[in-house]
Amino acid sequence: MARSYGQYCPVALATEILGERWTMLVVVALSDGASRFNDLLRALPRISATMLSQRLRSLEEAGVVVRVRESGSNSGHAYRLTDAGRGLEPIITDLANWGQRWARDLEPDDLDPRFLGWSVHLRMNVEAMPKGRTVLQFEFPDGPRDCRRFWIIVVDGVVDMCIKPPGHAIDLLVTSQLQRFVDVWRGFRPLRAELDAGRIRLEGAPALQRSFPNWLLLSSAAHVERCRPGRERSVRLRAARTKRSR
Amino acid sequence: MARSYGQYCPVALATEILGERWTMLVVVALSDGASRFNDLLRALPRISATMLSQRLRSLEEAGVVVRVRESGSNSGHAYRLTDAGRGLEPIITDLANWGQRWARDLEPDDLDPRFLGWSVHLRMNVEAMPKGRTVLQFEFPDGPRDCRRFWIIVVDGVVDMCIKPPGHAIDLLVTSQLQRFVDVWRGFRPLRAELDAGRIRLEGAPALQRSFPNWLLLSSAAHVERCRPGRERSVRLRAARTKRSR
DNA sequence: CAGTATCCATTTCGATACTG
DNA sequence: CAGTATCGAAATGGATACTG
């Protein structure tokens, strides 16, 4: 269980549970619709099963999550947000917008394509896509060795994502530098300009290529304007930083 | 520095810094008006100086806080929220309201009178108080041995608080069980009823006693209705709990 | 007052191996 | 698939002593 702050303060009580590492991100993943243990593992590619299990347990104890036997053919359990958990959704939105505005710049290690793939597949504009099956492959030649690509499969409006070849013919191949595609996804560069300049490249039927820019809804905070100044820091901080990383 | 989640997700980036233990509470204290290192220590009675120093440093690196040389006679520094830091205030309010609605019940150890005193002194309705100096003593006979009481001194609308005798005559003495006063402060019991029933007792000039109920503004989340069900838990969780605390 | 340095106990986390 | 048990490495945090 989370360590207490020894205060009745409602922010302290809320933070006791929500402030633990990973907890908020598990809530986000649940809020985004993941409900099975393995879906949560896919939504949070760098969490360990042990950690996820512990966090789900704490959230259950805190009354934020319930674990229910999955009805239907599918055996096993599903995790769902309770009313208390859904009460966190406005806070999550505000945190996301705050992060978009003010959080630190990205480092190369923050660009996990598995997480990107999960995000993209949650926000596909299926209305704008062809009927039947469409298979997209995203390819990032400069990405980490073991996960340079992912696939998104849309069948009649149902979107799935995988990090192993899906065994279907590819309808559209999207190739880009990872950082550049993430910038587009975050709303910091217009997709159109990147396509026109050939920095994000498409291969596939011309009709699909033409339609593709309408398929991506982008990050849900992409519309929020970034306010954080550039990378410059005060001398004092730079000195302290250097010193500590001796 | 905070460990990264390896994701570009804006909630992850925000949580990296804000999710660390104590960080959010430091922001709350700053938002409530504390700016000196020692005021922050008083606002957060259970933080260590080492921890506070570290957290202020991280917040400064994250651009949430600035450290400025204190102008005027007072030497030393002041910590203030930046625009980014002030951007967190709506989130703090929502977190507080969520905590009021849904957070766990209190345990005896959560009732630190020093924190209570700090909170109370921030929310005195000085308009309703006499001109000149008023000295209140709060006394909790069942509180922790070393901090059963605190004092609040109001001089012409300026409120101060201390945990050592202020060396002035007491105008009004307030005595109560700690838990009961906290319940009132949190908005879970009406002050009037507790006074009438003699469970919160006043000693001092009758005019002050009559006026006192208007002096306390209560916790800023006191108006929010609690939704969390009672202490019952599912059998499964109880079992798991017992097992782990072997 | 306003912190920082250091040391040690505790906690946390991830990897691996394992189970119904 | 859906987790749990265990173990070692690393991080965390508090107490104490110290400084300008």
Side-chain angles (χ1 to χ4, degrees), chain A residues 32-212:
Chain A
D32 283 344
S35 64
R36 309 293 305 259
F37 193 85
N38 267 15
D39 285 341
L40 291 166
L41 284 178
R42 292 207 296 154
L44 303 169
R46 301 208 184 177
I47 202 174
S48 69
T50 311
M51 180 93 294
L52 177 58
S53 178
Q54 275 177 25
R55 290 307 186 248
L56 286 169
R57 187 67 64 109
S58 319
L59 285 167
E60 210 185 338
E61 277 193 67
V64 174
V65 161
V66 273
R67 183 206 207 216
V68 293
R69 276 221 91 78
E70 187 73 300
S71 61
S73 62
N74 232 335
S75 77
H77 299 93
Y79 299 88
R80 307 215 179 272
L81 294 180
T82 59
D83 287 346
R86 260 170 275 117
L88 292 170
E89 287 174 342
I91 296 176
I92 288 172
T93 304
D94 288 351
L95 267 179
N97 293 347
W98 187 89
Q100 173 88 351
R101 265 189 213 290
W102 298 110
R104 67 177 175 77
D105 297 309
L106 295 183
E107 307 289 333
D109 183 55
D110 300 314
L111 307 171
D112 194 310
R114 297 169 298 174
F115 179 75
L116 180 64
W118 182 262
S119 309
V120 171
H121 107 280
L122 289 175
R123 294 183 55 81
M124 293 296 289
N125 183 16
V126 293
E127 251 85 277
M129 297 186 65
K131 306 288 165 221
R133 187 177 67 208
T134 311
V135 180
L136 289 122
Q137 178 177 333
F138 290 78
E139 179 117 24
F140 306 100
D142 62 335
R145 190 115 317 151
D146 53 333
C147 54
R148 285 194 171 151
R149 49 184 67 155
F150 59 84
W151 289 264
I152 288 182
I153 300 105
V154 184
V155 184
D156 292 326
V158 178
V159 187
D160 204 355
M161 170 262 177
C162 55
I163 55 174
K164 294 194 172 153
H168 292 299
I170 310 301
D171 297 299
L172 192 68
L173 171 64
V174 185
T175 308
S176 167
Q177 276 192 4
L178 183 50
Q179 167 85 60
R180 192 160 294 271
F181 189 82
V182 169
D183 282 351
V184 168
W185 186 255
R186 301 217 293 163
F188 297 158
R189 298 171 184 270
L191 174 55
R192 203 99 229 180
E194 298 303 313
L195 289 168
D196 290 349
R199 290 186 294 254
I200 296 179
R201 289 172 303 287
L202 304 180
E203 287 173 49
L208 295 183
Q209 293 198 28
R210 251 174 282 119
S211 173
F212 172 76

Side-chain angles (χ1 to χ4, degrees), chain B residues 154-171:
Chain B
V154 185
V155 183
D156 292 328
V158 178
V159 187
D160 204 353
M161 172 261 177
C162 55
I163 54 173
K164 293 192 174 157
H168 293 299
I170 310 300
D171 296 300

Side-chain angles (χ1 to χ4, degrees), chain B residues 35-55:
Chain B
S35 65
R36 309 294 305 260
F37 192 85
N38 266 14
D39 286 341
L40 291 166
L41 285 178
R42 294 207 297 153
L44 304 170
R46 301 207 185 178
I47 202 175
S48 70
T50 310
M51 180 90 297
L52 177 58
S53 178
Q54 276 177 25
R55 290 308 186 249

Side-chain angles (χ1 to χ4, degrees), chain B residues 28-211:
Chain B
V28 171
L30 289 163
S31 170
D32 284 343
S35 65
R36 309 294 305 260
F37 192 85
N38 266 14
D39 286 341
L40 291 166
L41 285 178
R42 294 207 297 153
L44 304 170
R46 301 207 185 178
I47 202 175
S48 70
T50 310
M51 180 90 297
L52 177 58
S53 178
Q54 276 177 25
R55 290 308 186 249
L56 286 168
R57 187 66 65 108
S58 319
L59 285 167
E60 209 184 341
E61 277 193 69
V64 174
V65 161
V66 273
R67 182 204 206 218
V68 294
R69 276 221 91 80
E70 188 73 303
S71 60
S73 61
N74 233 334
S75 77
H77 299 94
Y79 298 88
R80 307 211 179 274
L81 294 180
T82 60
D83 287 345
R86 260 170 275 118
L88 292 170
E89 287 174 343
I91 296 176
I92 288 173
T93 304
D94 287 351
L95 267 180
N97 293 348
W98 187 90
Q100 172 89 352
R101 263 188 214 290
W102 297 111
R104 68 176 174 80
D105 298 309
L106 296 183
E107 306 289 333
D109 184 55
D110 299 316
L111 306 171
D112 194 310
R114 296 169 299 175
F115 180 75
L116 180 64
W118 183 262
S119 309
V120 171
H121 108 280
L122 288 175
R123 295 183 55 81
M124 293 297 289
N125 183 15
V126 294
E127 251 86 275
M129 297 186 66
K131 307 285 164 224
R133 187 177 67 208
T134 312
V135 180
L136 289 122
Q137 179 176 333
F138 289 78
E139 178 116 23
F140 305 102
D142 62 334
R145 192 117 312 154
D146 53 332
C147 54
R148 288 196 167 147
R149 48 184 67 157
F150 59 83
W151 289 264
I152 288 183
I153 300 104
V154 185
V155 183
D156 292 328
V158 178
V159 187
D160 204 353
M161 172 261 177
C162 55
I163 54 173
K164 293 192 174 157
H168 293 299
I170 310 300
D171 296 300
L172 192 67
L173 172 64
V174 184
T175 309
S176 167
Q177 275 191 3
L178 182 50
Q179 167 84 61
R180 192 160 293 271
F181 189 82
V182 170
D183 282 351
V184 168
W185 185 254
R186 299 217 293 163
F188 296 159
R189 299 170 185 269
L191 175 56
R192 202 98 230 179
E194 298 303 313
L195 289 168
D196 291 348
R199 290 186 294 255
I200 296 180
R201 290 174 302 287
L202 304 179
E203 288 173 48
L208 295 184
Q209 292 198 28
R210 249 174 284 120
S211 172

